[in-house]
Amino acid sequence: MNGFTTISFPGLGIELNPGRVLTIGSLNIHYYGLIIAFGLVLAVIYAGRRCRQFGFTQDDLLDGVLWVTPFAILCARAYYCIFEWEQYADNPISVLYIWNGGLAIYGGVLGAIVGILVFCRVKKLKTAAVLDLVALGFLIGQGIGRWGNFFNREAFGAPTDSFLRMGLLDAATGEVTYYHPTFLYESLWNLAGFVLLHFLSKKRKYDGQIALGYAAWYGLGRAFIEGLRMDSLYWGQFRVSQVLAAVSCLAAVAALLALSFRPHSPEKLFVNQVAAREAADSGAEAQESE
């Protein structure tokens, strides 16, 4: 992908040639990493504003970020390296060279879930409620983070002549080829999902409902968009992320449908349980002070 320079969207009348690296003195910062970090920061800010609505404190949130982030990064790298092992087989130590690129979003999501399970067990928090809040953060981070692929001229799809086609100029040949901007499709899909689930989360009936909605929404979009990409990770003849997306979507939809026929008491929501405990504690303290 490094041979590509100018990026154009003729249907939109846009032509750009963004750099890949921001240089400040002797410091070089890759825009990809910068955008990923920006997406993470926005997700944390959003979660910080809403954590009380899910039954958590900001201290819980910050502790969770410190616990979960390493799991997400390690699993994102492991997922990529496992399915692209031929790149590392001759020099296995290069698996550690994370600055050279090679992270898989699905691996990051799976790693984050593992980190959340460990974190909730240690902190004695309700996992389903944590996943509800984190799912909304995922959509923010993924929606923003995909623009790192734009700067890297990667994660695009097959050639197309559609209105949203993205032209990439090959510096070596001087030829322009037009591709599906799949990074853009996924970014817009994730941000739309965030808006939808943000409003639905205010009327959730049980813990885990938003997390299941995330799995269904993201899985549906990724299953279709992954089929357009030219750089998918394969397991035999199958696109790994496409299969995982389709399976997770179907499983989430089945769970949502099954749970929709069950009664759900508001008292069972973790945030309401926390509020009830706090009210009881305040009442007990008031009695003791009399």
Side-chain angles (χ1 to χ4, degrees):
M1 308 303 175
N2 292 332
F4 294 124
T5 56
T6 303
I7 306 173
S8 61
F9 293 87
L12 303 174
I14 297 173
E15 184 172 310
L16 302 166
N17 187 13
R20 294 179 176 84
V21 179
L22 173 65
T23 301
I24 304 176
S26 60
L27 179 64
N28 292 325
I29 304 174
H30 288 263
Y31 280 110
Y32 182 88
L34 196 62
I35 291 171
I36 294 292
F38 179 61
L40 175 61
V41 169
L42 287 182
V44 171
I45 291 173
Y46 171 83
R49 290 181 177 274
R50 295 206 61 201
C51 59
R52 292 294 299 177
Q53 299 172 28
F54 288 80
F56 310 112
T57 65
Q58 291 197 350
D59 285 342
D60 291 330
L61 172 64
L62 294 177
D63 287 345
V65 171
L66 294 176
W67 272 84
V68 172
T69 302
F71 281 92
I73 294 174
L74 289 173
C75 288
R77 181 62 170 171
Y79 186 103
Y80 181 86
C81 292
I82 288 171
F83 294 105
E84 289 288 327
W85 181 245
E86 65 275 7
Q87 294 186 28
Y88 308 98
D90 294 334
N91 184 27
I93 194 65
S94 62
V95 167
L96 303 178
Y97 301 165
I98 195 170
W99 53 87
N100 288 335
L103 298 175
I105 285 181
Y106 247 124
V109 171
L110 294 173
I113 292 173
V114 172
I116 289 167
L117 293 174
V118 174
F119 172 70
C120 289
R121 185 175 182 83
V122 172
K123 295 292 185 177
K124 295 181 173 58
L125 298 174
K126 191 171 183 180
T127 303
V130 173
L131 287 173
D132 279 341
L133 181 58
V134 170
L136 293 165
F138 278 166
L139 289 169
I140 295 174
Q142 291 171 297
I144 299 298
R146 272 301 178 195
W147 284 90
N149 301 130
F150 168 76
F151 283 88
N152 275 4
R153 284 81 164 168
E154 64 185 7
F156 51 80
T160 182
D161 58 358
S162 70
F163 174 74
L164 285 177
R165 64 191 182 279
M166 176 179 69
L168 292 176
L169 172 64
D170 191 320
T173 65
E175 296 181 355
V176 177
T177 305
Y178 295 97
Y179 304 95
H180 279 288
T182 48
F183 78 90
L184 175 61
Y185 300 162
E186 191 168 331
S187 176
L188 294 176
W189 180 260
N190 289 334
L191 294 176
F194 163 73
V195 173
L196 174 64
L197 292 180
H198 166 78
F199 289 105
L200 290 177
S201 69
K202 298 179 179 181
K203 299 181 179 180
R204 64 191 186 283
K205 296 181 178 179
Y206 55 89
D207 292 318
Q209 186 177 16
I210 303 305
L212 288 172
Y214 163 81
W217 181 270
Y218 180 69
L220 178 63
R222 185 64 185 267
F224 281 99
I225 295 169
E226 188 69 23
L228 298 173
R229 287 179 58 169
M230 298 175 63
D231 59 347
S232 297
L233 301 177
Y234 281 85
W235 186 12
Q237 300 297 315
F238 299 98
R239 298 173 188 257
V240 180
S241 294
Q242 187 176 40
V243 172
L244 185 57
V247 170
S248 62
C249 176
L250 291 173
V253 170
L256 286 167
L257 289 174
L259 290 169
S260 69
F261 292 103
R262 297 183 182 180
H264 299 285
S265 172
E267 288 76 17
K268 292 185 178 180
L269 276 173
F270 183 69
V271 62
N272 293 334
Q273 293 175 348
V274 171
R277 286 200 301 267
E278 291 177 347
D281 291 341
S282 297
E285 290 176 1
Q287 289 181 351
E288 291 177 359
S289 62
E290 291 178 354

